[in-house]
Amino acid sequence: MDLTILILQGVIVAATPLLFAAIGELVVERAGVLNLGVEGMMIIGAVAGFSVTLETGSHMMGILAAMLGGMVFACLFGFLTQVLMSNQVATGLSLTIFGLGIAALWGQAYSGMTTEPLAKLDIPGLTSIPIIGPLLLSHDILVYMSIGLTIGVGWFLSKTRPGLILRAVGENHDAAHAIGYNVVGVRMLAIMFGGACAGLGGAYLSMVQTPLWVENMTAGRGWIALAIVVFAAWKPNRALLGAYLFGGVTVLQLHAQGFGVKIDAQYLSMLPYLVTIGVLVVISRDKTKANLNAPACLAKSFYASS
Amino acid sequence: MSGILKKIMTSLAALALVLSVGVASAAEKTKVGFIYVGPIGDHGWSYEHDQGRLAIEKAFGDNVETTYVENVSEGPDAERVIQQLARAGTDIIFTTSFGYMNPTLKVAKRYPDVKFEHATGFKQAPNVATYSARFYEGRHVIGLIAGSMTKTNTIGYIASFPIPEVVRGINAAYLAAKSVNPDVKMKVIWVSTWFDPGKEADAAKALIDQGADILMQHTDSPAAMKIAEDQGIYAFGQASNMHTFGPNAQLTAIIDNWGPYYVSRVKAVMDGTWSSGDTWDGIGAGMVGISDFSDKIPADVRKLAGDARDALAAGKLHAFTGPINKQDGSAWLVAGETANDGDLAGMNFYVEGVEGSLPQ
């Protein structure tokens, strides 16, 4: 197979976990909630997906478990921040630490075990079309889900009434409450959605990208996803761009080293961050416009009585 | 967002306090502390250090108390954790990653009564000893196997950071491979991390895509081994036996065996005979282990590698024996000359024939 296509396939694999987690967090933040526990929810998804796949032999069950695991874990965050009104930043950080710990505990029983990687799509006649086949029609189901999810979330937020309500809750929770919307309910749903997405992102790592389970295997991807949301100015299509840009430059610099490009590895390692920052500067050079995008109620607790 | 940032900072500070509590005190026992760069469940580097810690517990039972802190990043955080261990009355502290070198020395200065043991470093102090294993001897053995078995004449090498220990490994493996296969090439990819399974897997795939059919790694997770298994190529276990991740892929593994050294050093603390120094042991002393050879290795290659292993152990063979030139063509060792430990400890150049430029 042509090396260019192999490289692009590698880019898709590196970008997909980031895209899942970023899209989920984007919806959460659009609802006015800042959940810094993405890393924790991802690692829960990673261990849940891996262990259930191993136990049941079914990747579908693993994917479901990862979503469910991330969602349940996110509910914990939702309960603490929406019902008990704890500080979102502190709660999110502890969620990450708690998640890494509990995933390590859960995963101990699965230490050193392996599963088959998730199967790739194979459409007779179509997957074998040159270039288009291997590039577009030969991935695992999760890749298509992540793209579909991006389009779906974009449509939901901008074209549907529930999407409008969710944004209203994020922009001004007092006004949304005053006209009768259930602010806490909407936010809980958003948080659960975000948890499920982060879980999928983690599962992609443990079921496709590596595919194995080791403690701490998310290695900071949750934080990258959080940064991508800001990079994306809370817009789903830009989150896609951000995830593919970051994943793409990461993989390209690895290949560049393999080809013996005469640039020191440290600089190449910096590239994904530098490129992302560079693009961010370019697309947000209009300051007022950029500021308008941030949900006005982001990270603020909502008190129904006030 | 500045309000949020401030909140993050305060939260982190509070968190640091919470995390730093935990080392309980008990009288009369010798207290031994460890800090690890990765999780003990990494199936690689940190796992083997923890096996060494368990060997101490097994050897001394109730007379020792061991603690460990895992996932400590190499930087300011390390200094805080080491200081915390020292303050808690720990008698001897093992700091098990190269990047802990300066934090270890700094804390050691403040706590002259505490003994420190820093792995893979090169700076000592009256209360700081250094120790490392001659992993490059293992690299010589796997280099012979890889050079003999590669069909594409391309060996892929996933490297972490350009420190002497890693550079030694690349050079030793390349020289050995080259000695049995003059056409062999080594592709090195630096991932700038010790532990990131996703990135290690991406690097493994990139190397395979570029034609490598045997992988070596100097990172801590078994991700590359699993990728090799799934793609039907060969790889070598690093630090620990990674056979379960690549039952068909693993040809052999270089195993770090720290237990005996750790036990002897804790014993020295108990007896009051501990003194600073630099220990650098290899296959001969058992600090570097070579796991069983896979039956995928042809019999003649197995004999070649086995003989080399035995000769290294007996001190009859040195992995760096001249003539060897540096990458730029300048002479390093003349025919028959072997590298001295000083050159090895500070190695910051590729040998002739390795492609790419070494990050400085």
Side-chain angles (χ1 to χ4, degrees):
Chain A
M1 221 185 304
D2 191 13
L3 186 58
T4 321
I5 291 171
L6 287 172
I7 293 175
L8 289 172
Q9 285 182 338
V11 171
I12 293 172
V13 169
T16 300
L18 298 173
L19 179 58
F20 269 122
I23 285 290
E25 178 67 11
L26 186 142
V27 171
V28 178
E29 294 193 13
R30 270 302 189 75
V33 179
L34 181 66
N35 184 353
L36 294 181
V38 181
E39 180 90 0
M41 301 186 297
M42 279 183 90
I43 195 87
I44 292 283
V47 72
F50 183 82
S51 60
V52 171
T53 303
L54 201 77
E55 294 289 348
T56 62
S58 153
H59 285 96
M60 275 307 133
M61 294 303 288
I63 292 171
L64 283 176
M67 290 171 71
L68 200 69
M71 206 188 280
V72 169
F73 207 59
C75 277
L76 183 66
F77 172 83
F79 177 72
L80 290 169
T81 58
Q82 302 307 306
V83 181
L84 301 182
M85 300 294 167
S86 67
N87 176 290
Q88 292 181 9
V89 171
T91 311
L93 286 172
S94 14
L95 195 73
T96 288
I97 295 162
F98 182 49
L100 291 170
I102 206 165
L105 191 68
W106 180 348
Q108 263 177 5
Y110 302 96
S111 148
M113 297 186 189
T114 58
T115 64
E116 287 295 306
L118 186 60
K120 301 254 185 286
L121 195 67
D122 188 9
I123 312 166
L126 289 183
T127 304
S128 53
I129 299 173
I131 304 175
I132 300 171
L135 203 53
L136 300 178
L137 301 170
S138 68
H139 302 292
D140 50 87
I141 179 106
L142 285 171
V143 169
Y144 301 104
M145 270 174 74
S146 70
I147 305 287
L149 196 70
T150 310
I151 298 169
V153 165
W155 171 79
F156 170 81
L157 286 176
S158 59
K159 297 275 193 287
T160 70
R161 192 170 173 79
L164 187 66
I165 296 170
L166 183 132
R167 282 190 291 146
V169 165
E171 292 298 339
N172 190 332
H173 49 215
D174 295 318
H177 175 66
I179 52 175
Y181 292 121
N182 180 351
V183 172
V184 170
V186 169
R187 286 187 169 168
M188 279 303 288
L189 287 176
I191 290 168
M192 285 163 68
F193 177 80
C197 289
L200 278 175
Y204 197 80
L205 204 60
S206 67
M207 291 169 65
V208 182
Q209 195 174 359
T210 50
L212 49 80
W213 163 253
V214 234
E215 271 177 52
N216 286 21
M217 65 182 302
T218 44
R221 278 172 185 69
W223 301 106
I224 303 288
L226 276 159
I228 287 173
V229 176
V230 180
F231 167 86
W234 294 269
K235 291 184 178 129
N237 54 352
R238 278 207 200 160
L240 182 87
L241 174 75
Y244 273 77
L245 191 66
F246 191 88
V249 180
T250 305
V251 169
L252 284 179
Q253 64 97 356
L254 294 175
H255 274 281
Q257 291 190 41
F259 284 126
V261 172
K262 294 247 176 288
I263 304 171
D264 278 358
Q266 291 98 326
Y267 298 109
L268 290 169
S269 294
M270 278 181 227
L271 263 185
Y273 304 91
L274 292 179
V275 170
T276 313
I277 293 169
V279 175
L280 181 62
V281 169
V282 171
I283 60 179
S284 58
R285 62 192 181 281
D286 185 347
K287 192 161 178 269
T288 36
K289 221 175 157 188
N291 284 346
L292 275 179
N293 286 321
C297 282
L298 188 59
K300 289 185 188 156
S301 290
F302 169 68
Y303 299 96
S305 53
S306 65
Chain B
M1 289 294 278
S2 68
I4 292 176
L5 263 181
K6 208 173 158 191
K7 278 181 194 165
I8 294 181
M9 296 316 286
T10 36
S11 313
L12 284 179
L15 207 83
L17 273 177
V18 173
L19 287 180
S20 55
V21 180
V23 190
S25 58
E28 302 304 321
K29 288 183 177 180
T30 302
K31 291 215 238 169
V32 186
F34 283 85
I35 71 168
Y36 306 134
V37 70
I40 58 168
D42 67 356
H43 300 284
W45 179 258
S46 294
Y47 172 82
E48 288 296 339
H49 283 287
D50 201 56
Q51 293 299 307
R53 181 184 67 84
L54 295 173
I56 294 173
E57 289 202 331
K58 203 173 160 205
F60 303 111
D62 287 340
N63 295 322
V64 290
E65 181 183 311
T66 68
T67 36
Y68 68 89
V69 187
E70 51 183 344
N71 296 312
V72 179
S73 55
E74 299 177 325
D77 208 31
E79 189 181 327
R80 183 183 60 73
V81 175
I82 299 166
Q83 167 130 0
Q84 184 62 36
L85 283 172
R87 198 188 301 152
T90 311
D91 298 297
I92 178 168
I93 300 172
F94 293 89
T95 57
T96 63
S97 191
F98 179 77
Y100 298 151
M101 180 160 72
N102 291 327
T104 303
L105 287 156
K106 264 173 147 176
V107 179
K109 217 174 221 170
R110 282 178 230 142
Y111 294 87
D113 296 337
V114 180
K115 314 281 186 278
F116 294 84
E117 295 264 350
H118 177 241
T120 69
F122 53 80
K123 291 185 192 166
Q124 291 97 30
N127 61 334
V128 180
T130 51
Y131 63 99
S132 186
R134 294 179 189 269
F135 304 117
Y136 66 85
E137 294 184 349
R139 298 278 175 198
H140 179 85
V141 176
I142 67 174
L144 291 174
I145 298 171
S148 310
M149 288 182 68
T150 175
K151 296 207 166 56
T152 60
N153 288 331
T154 308
I155 300 169
Y157 203 111
I158 303 165
S160 47
F161 295 101
I163 58 171
E165 184 200 340
V166 178
V167 177
R168 266 196 313 270
I170 294 169
N171 285 336
Y174 174 76
L175 288 171
K178 177 101 176 167
S179 72
V180 290
N181 181 351
D183 298 325
V184 80
K185 277 192 204 152
M186 184 109 91
K187 275 186 191 285
V188 182
I189 290 185
W190 298 88
V191 289
S192 302
T193 178
W194 289 115
F195 181 82
D196 181 343
K199 204 168 177 191
E200 291 168 49
D202 288 345
K205 280 179 214 153
L207 287 166
I208 297 169
D209 290 347
Q210 292 193 15
D213 64 349
I214 295 190
L215 297 182
M216 298 178 181
Q217 67 177 75
H218 204 137
T219 48
D220 297 350
S221 96
M225 179 62 73
K226 173 67 176 151
I227 297 292
E229 177 76 16
D230 290 342
Q231 301 220 6
I233 66 154
Y234 296 124
F236 297 95
Q238 163 67 8
S240 187
N241 196 331
M242 296 178 172
H243 180 258
T244 55
F245 295 96
N248 296 302
Q250 178 172 296
L251 294 174
T252 182
I254 302 173
I255 294 173
D256 308 350
N257 181 18
W258 303 111
Y261 177 75
Y262 285 174
V263 168
S264 74
R265 298 303 277 176
V266 171
K267 181 92 176 35
V269 169
M270 289 173 163
D271 299 346
T273 57
W274 189 94
S275 65
S276 177
D278 180 38
T279 304
W280 206 10
D281 285 339
I283 296 177
M287 201 180 254
V288 177
I290 305 288
S291 76
D292 290 344
F293 292 139
S294 155
D295 53 19
K296 301 278 193 309
I297 306 177
D300 56 330
V301 179
R302 213 176 310 169
K303 175 158 187 336
L304 174 79
D307 289 349
R309 175 196 57 205
D310 299 341
L312 286 162
K316 290 180 190 142
L317 171 69
H318 195 288
F320 291 97
T321 305
I324 302 175
N325 289 344
K326 296 185 181 179
Q327 191 183 34
D328 60 12
S330 63
W332 176 37
L333 300 175
V334 297
E337 185 186 0
T338 57
N340 64 51
D341 280 0
D343 275 6
L344 291 178
M347 191 179 272
N348 61 353
F349 55 86
Y350 279 150
V351 295
E352 193 172 47
V354 178
E355 289 177 23
S357 65
L358 178 64
Q360 294 291 346

